[in-house]
Structures are given as C-alpha cells and as structure tokens.
Amino acid sequence: MHNNNQILFKVLVLFVIFGLFGIFSYHAVRGADSDELKYSIEQKSLELQEINNQIEQTQEELEQTQEEGKTLKKQISRINSQVNQLKLGIRSSEVMIGKLGLEVESLQYDIIDTEERIIINREAIAEILRQLQQQEEETALMVFLRNKSLADGIFEIQNLANLNDKLSVEVANLGGSKIKLDYALNDAANKKQLTKAENFNLKNKKEIVEEVKKDKQIILSQTKNQEYLYQKQLKELDTLQEEIAKEVFGFEEELRLKINPTALPTPRPGILKIPVPIPPARLTQKYGKTSYVLRMGRSWHNGIDLGAPMGTPIFSAEKGEVIAVGNQDNYRTNGKKLCRRGAYGKFVVIKHENNLTTFYAHLSRWVVKIGDKVERGQNIGYVGSTGRSTGPHLHFVVYSSQTIPPATPGFPEGTRSSRVCGPMPVGGDLNPLSYLNL
C-alpha cells in the first residue's frame, strides 16, 4: 500500500511538472510570435511612410507643373504622373491593409492574455474571500484567547488585515484588466472597420486608374497625337470655359442676393468637417476675389480648393441627403460632349439639416447616389482632376440652402440648366472657411 502511494505521488509530481512546462512553453511561443508581429508591424509602418513620402513628392511635382505651358506633351506627362500617383496610392492601401491585419492579430494576443489575467484575478479574489469568511466568524478577542501567546494572536490579526489589503489589490487589478480588455476589444473592432474601409478604397483606386488611362487615350485619339490639333482644341476649350464661368457667375451673383444671414448657423470653426484629411491635403486657393481668379480674368471663386493626391477619400462635411451627382465631362449636347474639361467634371451636392448645402467638384469618382442619407465624415467619393482642372484637388463650395434651385424635370435640386453642361450646381455661396476648422 505504501509503494502504491509513492507511485501515485510520483505520477502527480510528473503531471504537475509537465503541465507547468506546457504552460511555460505555450507562453514562450506566444511571446516569440508577439515579438515577431511587432517587428512586422514596424516594417509595414516604415514601408507605408516611404510610400506616402513618394506620394507627397509626386503631388508637389504635379502642383509645380500646373502653371507650366499648355502643350500636349506636358498634358500627357501630367496624366502619367497622376497614374503613377494612383499606383502608389494602391500600394499604400495594400500595405495599410496588411498592417491593420497584423495589428488585429497582435491585439488578439493581448485579448487572450488579458482574459487569462481576469480569470487569475477572479480566482485570487475567490480564495481571499474564502479565507476571510473562515476568519470572520471569530472576534479579535476570540482570536487572542484561542492562540497560545499574544504574539501569535497579533500575527493572526495582522494576517487578516493583509488579506483585506490583498483583496483590495486584486479587485483593483480585476478592474484594470477589464478596462484593458474593453480597450483591446474596441481597438480590434475599429481596426477591422478600417480594414473594410481601406479595402473599399483599394477597389475604387484600381478602377480610377483605369478611368484615367482611358482619359489619356481619349486625348491622344482626339488630337491624333499632334500638337497643332491639341492647341486648336485648347483654344476652343479656353473660349468655352470662359463662357461657362460667366454663366455660373451670373447664376450665383443673383442667388447671393437671396441669402438670409439670420437663417444660417453662426459662423465658427467645426460647423463643417474638413472634407479631405490635412495632411495630405492642403489649402491651395481661398474663397472670393483671389489673386488666381483675377489673374485668369475671372472675378470670383465661389469656394476653396484643397490640393490632394489622386484617389484621396472625400468625406461628407456634415450629415445630410445627397441631392445631386453628375459627370459634366460626359454630358452630351446634340450628341457631342461639349462640356468635357469645361466645368466641374464629376460632382456631388449634399443638403444638410443646418440650412447649409455643400458641393464637391472635380472628383475622380463618387460612391453615393441621389437620395442617399449620409453621416458626417462618411466617404462620398475620391479626389480627382475632372472638368476644368489643372491638377488633382477638391473644389469645395458651401451654399445657403434657401438659395439653391428646386428640382425640375431632368434637373435635380441644387442645379440649373446650363447651355452645354447639363445640370449645373449653383446657389448663394458662402465662405467655407467661416465653418471649417482650417
């Protein structure tokens, strides 16, 4: 019988040893995986920074060439630069998706570790409570009387106080672990949402690249790759652009007189969200009588321009309803695309609940439709260079909602019929900088 007990004892010891070894081995492997993940995330961050630096450099080069002479060769070169910038943007999205995936995986380790810590905290609290319950049945006097000496009694009373202190520590640890777990779970959920959004961006950027390449082929086809034909078309386009600009100015000069300031929100930063992130975007032209419009022979700039790389997401400045979308470059008059590169290109108009209406122009793509309800900060499209544009940017306009035209057959709310561009967004324009934290 004695031998059997010895054998059983040895088996139990070996079981405990191997169990502990398994636990330590598991945590050692997990620790190694966690370190490897951190390294991979750091490498992705460095790669992402390098790509974004290249995108920024490309953007600076594009902005510098906007004022250069207008030749077919330079126009094709600009389009090639835009394609290269979009390809960098695609790579940036791919790396970002990979980085987010690694971060979510790393957070899963944190979540598992924290859940284990919570179990340990709860077990420790249960054990302390069990010990306290055993001792709470005796008063301090009973403890002293039960012990052989005063010192033993004091020691036991002190041990009871220590248990209470340990209980406080473990309860605090449990609370901290729960907060850490909530943070990790929320962080993981946010990163999964970001991954979804970045996958959506990636899909659209790839389609935008193909559209820009088609635009390049259209220019080469129309000009037969001949400079003299390009210059002839450019001269006709300049005349058309000025006619359209005068038409729009006439509409909006009339509508500005209808603005009722008392019906508008009090101007202050933050009433509207900046529609493209800064950086990478930057303010390239202000509102009103700017030096650029005066130099170009025009009298008024009805919004602001935010220069940003091709394919940069554009966000709704406030919650509201999409009331107009369109592509003026494809609008046909008597079967001909007379407005191509003549006005706003691809655009979106959103009417908000605060009596403001926002207008987003020169997009490479929109991802909403008329009637959509959008939230503040929701993706509605991507920066482009469609319409009358010399480089990738967002033309952002704020109208007083009471001044925008009502919907009529063939023309959605917020637009009027123009001579060759179809539905033309117009309204009594306001200074966007009065409502943006810019």
Side-chain angles (χ1 to χ4, degrees), residues 63-261:
E63 289 178 1
Q64 288 171 3
T65 61
Q66 286 179 16
E67 299 300 319
E68 292 182 0
K70 298 178 180 179
T71 66
L72 178 59
K73 182 178 179 180
K74 287 179 178 176
Q75 177 64 15
I76 296 303
S77 177
R78 278 192 283 268
I79 293 174
N80 288 337
S81 294
Q82 291 171 9
V83 169
N84 290 336
Q85 189 179 70
L86 279 164
K87 287 180 177 178
L88 286 169
I90 288 169
R91 182 57 190 152
S92 174
S93 289
E94 291 171 341
V95 173
M96 176 59 80
I97 290 166
K99 178 174 176 283
L100 287 167
L102 292 172
E103 288 173 344
V104 169
E105 189 177 346
S106 178
L107 281 166
Q108 293 304 324
Y109 281 120
D110 292 342
I111 289 167
I112 291 170
D113 287 341
T114 306
E115 286 174 338
E116 290 177 353
R117 174 54 55 188
I118 287 173
I119 292 171
I120 292 170
N121 290 147
R122 284 174 174 166
E123 288 175 349
I125 290 170
E127 176 59 24
I128 293 170
L129 288 173
R130 186 185 64 79
Q131 294 181 37
L132 285 171
Q133 189 176 12
Q134 288 177 348
Q135 297 186 24
E136 279 178 354
E137 296 174 358
E138 295 182 303
T139 64
L141 178 60
M142 292 171 66
V143 171
F144 281 118
L145 292 174
R146 179 169 50 77
N147 282 280
K148 293 180 180 179
S149 69
L150 180 62
D152 289 342
I154 293 173
F155 178 79
E156 191 169 337
I157 294 294
Q158 183 61 48
N159 186 50
L160 181 63
N162 290 341
L163 283 174
N164 279 299
D165 290 342
K166 285 181 181 178
L167 180 62
S168 298
V169 170
E170 289 299 336
V171 169
N173 288 340
L174 179 60
S177 295
K178 285 183 175 180
I179 291 171
K180 184 179 179 182
L181 179 61
D182 287 343
Y183 176 81
L185 289 170
N186 288 333
D187 199 12
N190 289 336
K191 289 186 186 299
K192 287 176 182 178
Q193 282 296 113
L194 288 173
T195 301
K196 183 180 177 181
E198 202 58 51
N199 272 304
F200 184 71
N201 291 339
L202 177 61
K203 170 183 172 290
N204 281 287
K205 286 176 184 178
K206 288 180 176 179
E207 293 177 359
I208 292 167
V209 167
E210 297 308 312
E211 290 170 4
V212 174
K213 287 179 179 177
K214 285 180 184 177
D215 286 341
K216 173 184 170 181
Q217 292 306 315
I218 289 171
I219 292 173
L220 291 173
S221 175
Q222 288 179 341
T223 62
K224 298 177 180 166
N225 205 15
Q226 299 292 317
E227 182 64 36
Y228 81 93
L229 285 176
Y230 178 75
Q231 291 300 326
K232 180 174 179 291
Q233 292 178 11
L234 204 59
K235 188 174 181 180
E236 293 171 354
L237 180 62
D238 286 343
T239 301
L240 176 66
Q241 287 175 340
E242 291 312 310
E243 289 177 359
I244 294 170
K246 287 178 182 177
E247 181 183 43
V248 172
F249 179 78
F251 287 155
E252 295 190 335
E253 188 175 38
E254 170 195 334
L255 294 172
R256 274 194 292 272
L257 298 174
K258 297 181 179 181
I259 296 174
N260 177 8

Side-chain angles (χ1 to χ4, degrees), residues 237 240-241 243-245 247-248 251 325-333 336-345 347 387-388 410-412 415-425:
L237 180 62
L240 176 66
Q241 287 175 340
E243 289 177 359
I244 294 170
E247 181 183 43
V248 172
F251 287 155
V325 298
N327 181 4
Q328 294 178 326
D329 285 348
N330 281 347
Y331 187 79
R332 293 179 181 273
T333 302
K336 296 182 179 180
K337 296 180 182 179
L338 298 180
C339 191
R340 184 174 179 81
R341 296 167 61 202
Y344 293 123
F347 66 84
R388 182 177 186 172
F411 297 90
T415 68
R416 272 190 184 177
S417 172
S418 65
R419 190 174 67 83
V420 295
C421 293
M424 179 68 74

Side-chain angles (χ1 to χ4, degrees), residues 225-365:
N225 205 15
Q226 299 292 317
E227 182 64 36
Y228 81 93
L229 285 176
Y230 178 75
Q231 291 300 326
K232 180 174 179 291
Q233 292 178 11
L234 204 59
K235 188 174 181 180
E236 293 171 354
L237 180 62
D238 286 343
T239 301
L240 176 66
Q241 287 175 340
E242 291 312 310
E243 289 177 359
I244 294 170
K246 287 178 182 177
E247 181 183 43
V248 172
F249 179 78
F251 287 155
E252 295 190 335
E253 188 175 38
E254 170 195 334
L255 294 172
R256 274 194 292 272
L257 298 174
K258 297 181 179 181
I259 296 174
N260 177 8
T262 62
L264 300 173
T266 303
R268 61 180 175 82
I271 291 288
L272 297 175
K273 176 184 173 66
I274 300 171
V276 282
I278 295 179
R282 67 184 187 88
L283 181 65
T284 55
Q285 187 177 180
K286 293 184 179 181
Y287 170 83
K289 291 187 176 181
T290 65
S291 58
Y292 177 80
V293 297
L294 293 174
R295 189 167 69 250
M296 296 299 291
R298 305 202 302 274
S299 56
W300 194 256
H301 191 234
N302 65 353
I304 61 171
D305 289 341
L306 295 164
M310 288 282 287
T312 301
I314 298 170
F315 304 104
S316 175
E318 183 54 80
K319 68 176 181 179
E321 180 179 350
V322 178
I323 59 173
V325 298
N327 181 4
Q328 294 178 326
D329 285 348
N330 281 347
Y331 187 79
R332 293 179 181 273
T333 302
N334 298 324
K336 296 182 179 180
K337 296 180 182 179
L338 298 180
C339 191
R340 184 174 179 81
R341 296 167 61 202
Y344 293 123
K346 296 178 182 179
F347 66 84
V348 172
V349 183
I350 302 174
K351 188 176 183 180
H352 308 291
E353 298 173 0
N354 58 6
N355 288 330
L356 298 178
T357 293
T358 52
F359 167 38
Y360 312 75
H362 306 303
L363 280 59
S364 57
R365 167 167 287 220

Side-chain angles (χ1 to χ4, degrees), residues 356-389:
L356 298 178
T357 293
T358 52
F359 167 38
Y360 312 75
H362 306 303
L363 280 59
S364 57
R365 167 167 287 220
W366 67 79
V367 293
V368 290
K369 63 184 183 300
I370 293 176
D372 280 356
K373 300 292 193 299
V374 295
E375 294 298 320
R376 181 184 175 104
Q378 182 176 329
N379 184 5
I380 60 169
Y382 296 87
V383 169
S385 189
T386 55
R388 182 177 186 172
S389 170

